Amino acid sequence: MTVTAYTLAVVLDLFCVFLGYRFLFQPASAAAGYGVPARPDGDAGTYLSIKGSRDGTFGLVGLALLAFAGAQAEAWFMVCVALVPLGDTLIVLRNGGTKAVAFGIHFATAVVVLISAGLLFAV
């Protein structure tokens, strides 16, 4: 179970780094994949960059916690970070996104992050 816990945590952290990169360097396609399309050359450009910076930072902090503070610290971090995809679920629903994207991507991500936290607590 230890290998599974660490592997899932690393994959989730790296996925956050990837999302950050995508929002910073491919903002239009990243926004469409998020579930609420936005034009990076319009008013949304700054916010897409902020989201990219936020997501990338979460991934790097998660990796640093896992490497230097251990599984318990990473588990608590994951519990807190699970609030982000839960909030993203509401944002997509409130802004005309589909329920499939809101629940199939964002809510499901929150569940996976919480499962990861549970596995890390068990290590």
Side-chain angles (χ1 to χ4, degrees):
M1 182 159 64
T2 301
V3 172
T4 303
Y6 277 87
T7 301
L8 183 57
V10 168
V11 167
L12 289 170
D13 290 335
L14 290 174
F15 187 65
C16 285
V17 172
F18 166 75
L19 289 174
Y21 168 85
R22 192 162 180 232
F23 270 94
L24 288 172
F25 296 103
Q26 300 171 343
S29 60
Y34 177 83
V36 183
R39 290 187 10 201
D41 58 342
D43 293 339
T46 301
Y47 294 103
L48 296 174
S49 295
I50 291 167
K51 179 165 175 23
S53 176
R54 175 195 77 175
D55 289 351
T57 300
F58 282 156
L60 293 175
V61 169
L63 291 170
L65 283 171
L66 198 57
F68 301 111
Q72 294 295 309
E74 176 75 359
W76 282 111
F77 175 73
M78 292 277 190
V79 168
C80 295
V81 168
L83 294 173
V84 173
L86 288 174
D88 289 346
T89 302
L90 297 175
I91 290 167
V92 169
L93 291 172
R94 283 187 8 208
N95 290 283
T98 66
K99 289 181 181 179
V101 170
F103 292 107
I105 295 174
H106 300 292
F107 189 80
T109 299
V111 170
V112 171
V113 170
L114 291 172
I115 289 169
S116 178
L119 290 171
L120 288 166
F121 279 128
V123 168

